Amino acid sequence: MFDDLAAAGVAPGARVLEIGCGTGQATVPLAERGCRIVAVELGADMAAVARRNLAAFDAVEVVTAAFEEWPLSGEPFDVVFSATAFHWIDPAVRVSKSADARLGGLLATVGTHHIAGGTWTEAFFVEIQKCYERFDPSTPPGLRLETARDIVEDDRELTSSGRFGPAKFYRYEWELPYSTADYLDLLLTYSGHRALPDVQRSALLNSVARLIDVDYGGKLSSAT
């Protein structure tokens, strides 16, 4: 992905505005490629971790602020970049403000999807959905994973704004292995799981853990 960004013009010295850097997982590779980065992160705790992770890079600044309220500087950016965070930004602001921030440059956003594949077999997903349907009432009945080819390439928001040219889409598929404990840790990073009442969340996680331990030997891989 970062090689594709470089091919699109994100070269050493490029000025990058990153929206929602989190702990800096995607910021570090850009910094290692010599980009000058201003990273805006809403969460103070995550911003603090990002500053520690990026302390070796003098050309990186992490700002704790909401992107919607953060004032743009006078110098335009070459790239506005957001990895798995753009969808959280107010739709009334995110495209127009991103356009205001750059001068003829790129808007590059990254989204992730769990897809059918790996040990996310149809049987496994059916079984794990039973756990969710039992303990999380917001779970849509009969939910199934899509294949990669079923995920729609949607650029309507960009094209309707009149501020950007045609979008280009890139897809990267991989599998991530998880132990039972690793997978439960992952689930606890999702807002829907964290928002559940304590009793329901514990019951859901225990149910998922039993499924993975008993039917999958304590290991699985998730296709993304």
Side-chain angles (χ1 to χ4, degrees):
M1 182 185 76
F2 293 101
D3 289 342
D4 286 336
L5 282 172
V10 186
R15 193 161 187 262
V16 178
L17 169 60
E18 184 179 3
I19 303 171
C21 69
T23 60
Q25 291 186 69
T27 320
V28 170
L30 291 173
E32 290 174 339
R33 286 163 170 76
C35 294
R36 298 178 294 143
I37 305 168
V38 177
V40 180
E41 169 55 46
L42 176 62
D45 291 342
M46 286 196 291
V49 175
R51 291 187 187 100
R52 293 197 296 271
N53 291 338
L54 292 154
F57 302 99
D58 293 335
V60 178
E61 177 187 5
V62 178
V63 178
T64 305
F67 175 70
E68 295 91 335
E69 301 168 2
W70 180 69
L72 294 174
S73 63
E75 182 182 357
F77 293 88
D78 301 301
V79 184
V80 178
F81 174 75
S82 185
T84 68
F86 201 69
H87 62 288
W88 292 112
I89 306 301
D90 184 349
V93 173
R94 59 193 178 199
V95 172
S96 59
K97 190 165 184 177
S98 295
D100 291 341
R102 100 281 187 262
L103 182 62
L106 298 174
L107 168 61
T109 66
V110 180
T112 57
H113 302 265
H114 288 302
I115 58 174
T119 53
W120 280 95
T121 60
E122 183 68 17
F124 174 78
F125 198 73
V126 169
E127 290 304 313
I128 201 171
Q129 285 308 114
K130 293 177 183 177
C131 301
Y132 281 93
E133 290 174 8
R134 180 179 178 186
F135 297 110
D136 182 0
S138 68
T139 302
L143 184 65
R144 296 294 180 267
L145 284 173
E146 297 178 304
T147 65
R149 64 178 176 272
D150 293 326
I151 298 172
V152 176
E153 296 179 347
D154 185 357
D155 65 352
R156 288 174 296 177
E157 185 177 9
L158 290 181
T159 55
S160 64
S161 73
R163 304 291 301 276
F164 292 94
K168 292 184 179 180
F169 293 88
Y170 299 83
R171 296 190 181 200
Y172 313 91
E173 295 181 39
W174 69 93
E175 288 187 22
L176 291 175
Y178 295 97
S179 66
T180 302
D182 289 339
Y183 191 67
L184 296 185
D185 285 344
L186 172 68
L187 295 183
L188 287 171
T189 69
Y190 296 147
S191 58
H193 295 74
R194 296 177 67 87
L196 286 172
D198 291 345
V199 172
Q200 285 177 249
R201 183 172 59 250
S202 295
L204 172 62
L205 296 180
N206 288 337
S207 178
V208 170
R210 283 194 298 272
L211 175 63
I212 299 172
D213 283 339
V214 174
D215 292 353
Y216 290 85
K219 296 180 181 179
L220 59 85
S221 66
S222 171
T224 303

